[in-house]
Amino acid sequence: QVQLVESGGGLVQPGGSLRLSCAASGRTFTTYTLGWFRQAPGKEREFIAAIHSNSRSTLYAVSVKGRFTISRDNAKNTVSLQMNSLKFEDTAVYYCSASRYYSSTDRNYDTWGQGTQVTVST
């Protein structure tokens, strides 16, 4: 079966850093755009970042640009999200996903992971 598994979430203090990883199995995603989304309780799923299959072109939400960095390793079929200067409002469940298109729109993403919790708190 096709599976995306996020890891690396946890509790971190404001200003701290976390690195999230997403491992894919059951399918090779080297030709897909890979993205990160997040969802806080009671809120809509929010686009965070995406990276083209060429591993160079990227898209970022304004709320995270300059703080978060997306990267991918096609040889390992993984995508990562380096999160720096974390804020309280970054608290959410973070999901990775795959799309046939280079897009920030979640309707273009077909395969989703189970999510990993990120909590920014003192």
Side-chain angles (χ1 to χ4, degrees):
Q1 61 181 10
V2 178
Q3 188 171 218
L4 296 172
V5 179
E6 300 92 339
S7 62
L11 177 64
V12 64
Q13 294 184 342
S17 298
L18 283 175
R19 185 175 179 85
L20 306 183
S21 296
C22 174
S25 62
R27 182 189 299 169
T28 298
F29 290 96
T30 54
T31 63
Y32 286 72
T33 291
L34 297 174
W36 286 95
F37 295 75
R38 68 187 182 190
Q39 188 167 28
K43 296 187 179 296
E44 298 277 352
R45 179 173 282 166
E46 175 189 13
F47 170 79
I48 299 301
I51 184 165
H52 194 279
S53 59
N54 64 19
S55 299
R56 300 189 307 275
S57 302
T58 56
L59 299 170
Y60 292 98
V62 172
S63 60
V64 306
K65 192 171 185 178
R67 299 189 298 121
F68 292 9
T69 302
I70 189 171
S71 62
R72 67 190 293 164
D73 186 338
N74 284 340
K76 296 181 178 180
N77 215 24
T78 61
V79 60
S80 297
L81 185 70
Q82 178 66 46
M83 306 186 296
N84 298 327
S85 302
L86 284 161
K87 305 174 180 179
F88 291 118
E89 52 263 44
D90 294 319
T91 296
V93 177
Y94 284 71
Y95 300 89
C96 63
S97 191
S99 172
R100 293 184 180 273
Y101 307 99
Y102 184 54
S103 173
S104 62
T105 305
D106 58 4
R107 68 176 180 269
N108 289 321
Y109 290 78
D110 295 321
T111 304
W112 296 86
Q114 86 291 343
T116 186
Q117 177 71 48
V118 172
T119 302
V120 184
S121 177
T122 58

